[in-house]
Amino acid sequence: MSGKFVVGYDGSVSARRALEFAVDRARTQGGTIVLTHVLEWSPYSFLTPQELEERHARRKEEMTRAEKAIMTTVKAELDDAGIPNEVVIRYGNTAEILGRVAKEHNAVQIVIGRDGQSALGARVFGSVAGALVQTAPVPCTIVP
């Protein structure tokens, strides 16, 4: 069985563990890694057109920085290891975007790392893992 594995990746230790888990599955099953980085973005309707334009310019800069600082090295590692891969960088709600990327790429699974946030913090601020397992269009694996 081959397929695409969407991996939420932000450069953290937990994201690295998630990537290693997904790479193992991709190797075993002849799959592809869709390495996905999400920059949180929440639109504000009360911004002026000039402020929105400035914000969009900063957004493009942040995406370029994320690609250079986080994704380029990991993509090269995957390429060197012979693991087929794609890189996706988007703005938005992390759980929502990972689900959307999974649909767009006909993924068989989404893999993310657990960040170790406390139970109280997760209840107050929400949890990507919690939101993802409730809304994802494909099975999810949360790697501890």
Side-chain angles (χ1 to χ4, degrees):
M1 172 184 150
S2 64
K4 294 187 178 186
F5 297 85
V6 172
V7 179
Y9 192 82
D10 63 4
S12 67
V13 172
S14 61
R16 190 64 185 198
R17 287 192 305 267
L19 178 61
E20 290 167 2
F21 178 89
V23 164
D24 183 54
R25 297 306 175 278
R27 267 197 187 113
T28 302
Q29 299 176 15
T32 300
I33 299 293
V34 181
L35 198 61
T36 306
H37 181 73
V38 181
L39 296 156
E40 286 287 331
W41 168 267
S42 51
Y44 294 99
S45 59
F46 57 86
L47 295 177
T48 66
Q50 180 183 358
E51 290 170 324
L52 279 173
E53 187 176 318
E54 290 169 3
R55 193 166 188 212
H56 285 290
R58 282 193 312 270
R59 178 178 165 181
K60 287 179 184 178
E61 290 171 9
E62 289 173 356
M63 291 179 83
T64 300
R65 272 196 314 265
E67 184 170 6
K68 289 178 183 175
I70 298 172
M71 305 303 265
T72 301
T73 303
V74 177
K75 179 170 180 27
E77 289 174 18
L78 293 172
D79 289 343
D80 290 346
I83 305 295
N85 65 86
E86 303 172 48
V87 171
V88 175
I89 301 174
R90 300 261 178 92
Y91 261 94
N93 174 280
T94 301
E96 192 176 295
I97 295 298
L98 289 173
R100 190 174 304 150
V101 169
K103 277 185 182 177
E104 291 169 2
H105 290 265
N106 295 314
V108 296
Q109 188 173 20
I110 299 172
V111 182
I112 64 169
R114 188 181 70 212
D115 68 4
Q117 186 178 32
S118 71
L120 176 62
R123 280 193 295 263
V124 173
F125 301 111
S127 158
V128 170
L132 188 60
V133 297
Q134 293 180 37
T135 62
V138 296
C140 299
T141 297
I142 314 302
V143 178

